């Protein structure tokens, strides 16, 4: 997937200027950036939730990409909880075409949660379910926006293993402020700064671009 | 609804009842389809942003139209 020339502004405030991102099956692409640099906005532009002033997107060198229904090919995990609060886990898994038994295998705690609704779960539990659902859905690409927030460390390790497993079947784009967790799982890394994306090859590049101090 | 009331003044109560019945439908649809990040739940299912916003209004319009037609048929049958 190639995303290029993303230009987004809200009134006088320019969020993204010619932002660029690529993702490939079998690779995990990391996106880092300080608060307010437009990472979530970039992802929402890709998913169609926000209409940018300009954007070019192409999947697999196709002549035309059905951008309006991109959800058929790209799944997105937003930064905050997004499942309808009154929907049961069973119903959500059915709609997304994911086997619930897989979640129970992932964490046996969810064995009795099948008929619970999302508003009956804790924030962390709901986050894990959402992330599992998005990762296991049938899609060419997955975008995970700060997936490790509010997650216990042992679950972060499990999620990282799941990402490594799923990347064989799809391209994964991931962003988080816990950059060391991101560095562990990513194959390619971009830094979003001042509306532009910069490729990052090493920790020194992060220091040079002012993302970390040392 | 206005035309109906003009042509048949006694149908005001029917129009009000029909509108009252449609309120829970509109409320349910908007409560479930227009909250913050929930839009992405539906975008992930392949629904476009335009379809996401139009669906509640379309359903409301169709449901209200059906109710109005049924009530008109009932009105004529009563006459």
């Amino acid at each position: 997937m190639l995303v290029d020339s993303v230009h987004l502004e809200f009134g006088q405030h320019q969020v993204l200027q010619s932002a660029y991102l690529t993702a490939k099956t079998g690779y995990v692409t990391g996106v880092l950036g300080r608060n307010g640099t437009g990472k979530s906005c970039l992802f929402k532009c890709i998913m169609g939730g926000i209409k940018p002033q300009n954007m070019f997107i192409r999947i697999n060198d196709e002549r035309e990409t059905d951008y309006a229904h991109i959800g058929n090919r790209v799944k997105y995990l937003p930064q905050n909880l997004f499942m309808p609060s009154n929907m049961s886990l069973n119903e959500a898994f059915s709609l997304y075409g994911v086997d619930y038994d897989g979640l129970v295998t992932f964490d046996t705690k969810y064995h009795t949660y099948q008929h619970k609704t999302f508003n009956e779960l804790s924030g962390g539990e709901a986050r894990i379910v959402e992330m599992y659902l998005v990762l296991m859905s049938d899609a060419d690409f997955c975008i995970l926006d700060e997936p490790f927030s509010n997650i216990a460390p042992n679950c972060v390790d499990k999620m990282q293993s799941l990402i490594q497993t799923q990347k064989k079947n799809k391209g994964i784009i991931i962003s988080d402020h816990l950059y060391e967790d991101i560095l562990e799982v990513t194959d390619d890394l971009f830094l979003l700064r001042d509306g532009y994306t910069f490729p990052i090859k090493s920790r020194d590049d992060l220091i040079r671009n002012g993302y970390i101090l040392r | 609804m206005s035309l109906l009331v003009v042509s048949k003044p006694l149908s005001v109560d029917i129009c009000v009842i029909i509108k009252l019945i449609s309120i829970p439908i509109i409320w349910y649809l908007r409560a479930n389809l227009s909250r913050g990040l929930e839009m992405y739940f539906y975008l992930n299912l392949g629904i476009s942003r335009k379809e996401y916003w139009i669906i509640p209004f379309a359903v409301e319009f169709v449901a209200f139209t059906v109710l109005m037609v049924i009530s008109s048929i009932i009105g004529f049958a009563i006459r």
Side-chain angles (χ1 to χ4, degrees):
Chain A
M1 179 171 70
L2 168 65
V3 180
D4 197 3
S5 305
V6 183
H7 182 82
L8 176 69
E9 58 184 41
F10 298 109
Q12 299 294 323
H13 177 52
Q14 281 191 342
V15 180
L16 299 169
Q17 309 180 61
S18 197
Y20 165 87
L21 192 63
T22 60
K24 284 190 293 189
T25 303
Y27 289 80
V28 178
T29 302
V31 179
L32 297 175
R34 291 189 169 186
N35 297 102
T37 50
K39 300 184 299 297
S40 296
C41 282
L42 175 61
F43 299 152
K44 289 175 181 175
C45 287
I46 294 171
M47 290 306 297
I50 295 176
K51 189 177 178 186
Q53 279 65 35
N54 186 66
M55 185 175 71
F56 173 78
I57 184 166
R58 190 174 64 188
I59 297 176
N60 293 340
D61 294 327
E62 295 164 355
R63 211 173 266 185
E64 284 182 19
T65 297
D66 183 11
Y67 173 65
H69 301 97
I70 200 165
N72 287 327
R73 307 183 69 177
V74 182
K75 301 294 184 215
Y76 173 52
L77 176 74
Q79 195 172 340
N80 297 309
L81 299 177
F82 74 105
M83 288 290 179
S85 53
N86 293 324
M87 182 170 286
S88 70
L89 271 66
N90 202 22
E91 196 178 356
F93 273 71
S94 175
L95 280 172
Y96 273 60
V98 177
D99 184 15
Y100 188 82
D101 291 337
L103 178 66
V104 176
T105 306
F106 180 79
D107 190 337
T108 54
K109 178 172 73 171
Y110 294 97
H111 174 66
T112 56
Y113 284 30
Q114 198 164 357
H115 299 291
K116 284 193 174 185
T117 57
F118 279 90
N119 59 2
E120 292 175 316
L121 304 179
S122 72
E125 290 172 338
R127 188 69 176 157
I128 291 168
V129 173
E130 289 181 349
M131 188 172 169
Y132 182 87
L133 201 54
V134 167
L135 268 174
M136 299 302 290
S137 296
D138 183 24
D140 296 327
F141 298 95
C142 280
I143 301 174
L144 310 175
D145 195 353
E146 298 190 20
F148 305 130
S149 55
N150 301 321
I151 302 292
N154 63 327
C155 289
V156 170
D157 292 336
K158 282 186 184 178
M159 283 298 178
Q160 286 175 334
S161 299
L162 189 63
I163 288 170
Q164 293 298 318
T165 307
Q166 285 301 306
K167 81 173 190 182
K168 296 172 194 169
N169 308 318
K170 56 188 71 167
I172 296 176
I173 299 169
I174 185 169
S175 81
D176 208 287
H177 289 297
L178 301 174
Y179 69 95
E180 287 172 342
D181 291 333
I182 297 293
L183 287 173
E184 277 183 32
V185 296
T186 53
D187 301 298
D188 297 317
L189 195 57
F190 291 93
L191 175 69
L192 197 54
R193 182 170 64 88
D194 299 327
Y196 297 93
T197 43
F198 300 90
I200 299 294
K201 300 294 180 190
S202 65
R203 192 187 172 91
D204 289 337
D205 287 339
L206 289 175
I207 297 171
R208 198 174 304 118
N209 282 282
Y211 183 69
I212 55 176
L213 295 177
R214 52 187 165 86
Chain B
M1 198 186 292
S2 299
L3 288 173
L4 184 65
V5 171
V6 167
S7 62
K8 294 177 186 172
L10 293 177
S11 65
V12 170
D13 52 342
I14 295 174
C15 294
V16 170
I17 290 169
I18 290 169
K19 193 64 183 173
L20 286 172
I21 292 170
S22 71
I23 288 174
I25 299 170
I26 300 166
W27 179 262
Y28 173 81
L29 288 171
R30 288 199 173 150
N32 283 279
L33 293 183
S34 60
R35 269 188 301 183
L37 294 172
E38 280 185 13
M39 175 175 66
Y40 293 96
F41 175 83
Y42 299 97
L43 291 181
N44 277 341
L45 293 173
I47 296 170
S48 72
R49 191 176 75 246
K50 278 184 186 172
E51 290 165 359
Y52 170 78
W53 287 112
I54 288 171
I55 283 173
F57 297 100
V59 171
E60 181 203 353
F61 178 76
V62 169
F64 186 72
T65 303
V66 168
L67 285 172
M68 292 297 287
V69 168
I70 292 172
S71 63
S72 298
I73 292 170
I74 292 171
F76 279 121
I78 291 170
R79 285 176 66 197

